[in-house]
Amino acid sequence: MVLEFEKPIADLEQKLQEMKELATGRNIDLSSDIESLEDKILALKKETFQNLTRWQRVQLSRHAERPYALDYIYEMTNDFVELHGDRNVADDKAMVGGLGDLDGRSVMFIGQQKGRNTKQRQLRNFGMANPEGYRKALRLMKMAEKFGKPIVTLIDTPGAFPGLEAEERGQGEAIARNIKEMFMLKVPVICIIIGEGASGGALGIAIGDRVLMLENAWYSVISPENCSTILWRSWDYKEQAAEALKLTAIDMQGNGLVDGIIPEPLGGAHKDMKKMAVTLKEAILAALKELDKIKPEKRIDQRIDKFCSMGVVVE
């Protein structure tokens, strides 16, 4: 999958591949030309990805090959054991969680999971959790607190499922309860937006001591398309909406809404998933090392103060 703004890079990479095949097939020395073209491609990549618009970052966050929560969890941990069900209604496949060994330490991982193909997307409900998904997440958080295990949440959702049946089962209440309970958890809580972070669907697992974002993720009260539909009655203004929403990692950090940005490989996380997983793991371990030094009561106070200080009130 090649995004529109990546096409000039893809064209040069195609020429590079053809040049290498020609050199090999005809035994011609084109090493200097190949090296020159490789340098040109690298320079173009740096220029392109350092100057992405907000809408282009949204597109990158949704790339079909971008790693999802379980990809990172299995790559970062040993002996991950997925836990299921909210012990009330069902097991929501859009919300996943379980215990995994992170460099010798047991950590509770919770995240929203999307699918790669049509069947998986239907199974995972496109990463949009129902109330039972948020209740499952809360059950796992309480379990982690009971046994003194830190919690890491991986956020990647276009929003909580907006269907009638979700509302009937208390979607708003489930998210609100998660927000309330997460403020009071005694164990360290690290929240990371790895892709899309939309509305209360993201916030339902995003109250933590440290909130981090991947470089090409986005975090907002609404998606650019839905914002465009509300304001202009059309999806055609989604790029303008993305600019107005200021939803990128740089925007979020500048407004004090996230604590840090995790860099991605050049071209996006999907270009080198293993490298991205290593970077993500290092960020989690560094945050845990920092949080372990703080007493639980103080962590809770700092967590509450951090979120209460967000925003500007004009009277």
Side-chain angles (χ1 to χ4, degrees):
M1 175 182 175
V2 178
L3 299 172
E4 188 67 31
F5 63 87
E6 294 179 305
K7 285 183 179 178
I9 298 171
D11 290 342
L12 288 180
E13 287 178 333
Q14 179 62 33
K15 289 180 181 178
L16 178 63
Q17 182 61 31
E18 291 171 359
M19 192 178 292
K20 287 180 177 179
E21 290 174 359
L22 180 65
T24 303
R26 298 191 180 182
N27 197 25
I28 304 172
D29 183 12
L30 297 174
S31 56
S32 60
D33 295 315
I34 289 172
E35 186 177 343
S36 175
L37 188 53
E38 285 175 338
D39 290 342
K40 186 176 180 181
I41 291 170
L42 181 59
L44 182 58
K45 279 184 177 180
K46 287 180 178 178
E47 182 184 355
T48 300
F49 289 99
Q50 285 173 0
N51 297 286
L52 293 176
T53 66
R54 291 181 174 91
W55 172 244
Q56 287 170 340
R57 290 198 187 277
V58 171
Q59 289 179 294
L60 208 52
S61 77
R62 298 170 175 170
H63 198 285
E65 297 169 13
R66 191 172 177 88
Y68 296 144
L70 286 176
D71 296 322
Y72 288 124
I73 292 170
Y74 281 112
E75 187 66 32
M76 292 189 296
T77 66
N78 297 315
D79 303 323
F80 174 68
V81 178
E82 187 175 352
L83 301 172
H84 300 273
D86 69 338
R87 301 297 186 267
N88 187 23
V89 176
D91 179 38
D92 191 336
K93 302 296 183 183
M95 188 76 74
V96 298
L99 290 164
D101 182 280
L102 193 71
D103 273 12
R105 182 171 186 177
S106 186
V107 174
M108 179 66 79
F109 287 92
I110 298 167
Q112 285 123 346
Q113 179 68 20
K114 297 177 179 177
R116 295 281 175 206
N117 53 43
T118 302
K119 188 175 181 179
Q120 288 178 2
R121 286 170 189 148
Q122 289 177 331
L123 176 70
R124 303 289 183 182
N125 201 31
F126 299 87
M128 298 185 293
N130 279 280
E132 48 269 27
Y134 291 97
R135 290 172 181 139
K136 174 168 74 171
L138 182 57
R139 181 177 76 82
L140 299 185
M141 291 176 201
K142 288 294 187 180
M143 181 188 294
E145 183 182 43
K146 180 179 179 180
F147 295 104
K149 308 298 181 185
I151 299 165
V152 174
T153 67
L154 302 175
I155 298 134
D156 187 11
T157 181
F161 184 58
L164 178 62
E165 61 272 33
E167 297 299 332
E168 289 174 341
R169 295 196 297 274
Q171 185 73 285
E173 185 276 339
I175 292 172
R177 182 171 293 275
N178 275 27
I179 293 171
K180 173 182 177 291
E181 295 291 343
M182 288 186 80
F183 274 118
M184 305 309 295
L185 291 169
K186 295 176 182 177
V187 293
V189 183
I190 300 167
C191 307
I192 305 169
I193 298 100
I194 61 172
E196 300 185 90
S199 192
L203 203 58
I205 59 168
I207 306 297
D209 302 296
R210 295 292 179 271
V211 180
L212 308 173
M213 281 184 76
L214 265 59
E215 182 182 353
N216 294 309
W218 65 272
Y219 195 25
S220 176
V221 69
I222 194 171
S223 71
E225 294 93 333
N226 288 333
C227 178
S228 174
T229 301
I230 292 170
L231 295 181
W232 289 281
R233 301 291 190 270
S234 168
W235 279 30
D236 296 339
Y237 299 91
K238 54 187 177 291
E239 294 183 38
Q240 289 173 244
E243 290 298 318
L245 287 167
K246 293 180 170 56
L247 38 60
T248 66
I250 293 172
D251 294 322
M252 291 294 105
Q253 188 176 44
N255 289 325
L257 300 175
V258 300
D259 301 303
I261 300 172
I262 303 173
E264 297 185 21
L266 185 62
H270 60 285
K271 292 295 184 181
D272 193 341
M273 198 276 280
K274 289 186 180 296
K275 181 180 179 181
M276 186 68 250
V278 169
T279 305
L280 189 60
K281 183 177 179 179
E282 289 173 350
I284 293 170
L285 291 173
L288 284 176
K289 186 177 180 181
E290 187 180 332
L291 293 170
D292 284 339
K293 299 174 183 177
I294 307 171
K295 291 183 178 180
E297 295 77 14
K298 189 175 181 181
R299 267 202 313 266
I300 291 171
D301 289 340
Q302 288 179 352
R303 198 183 300 156
I304 293 171
D305 290 343
K306 179 173 73 170
F307 281 88
C308 286
S309 67
M310 290 179 180
V312 177
V313 178
V314 178
E315 295 182 354

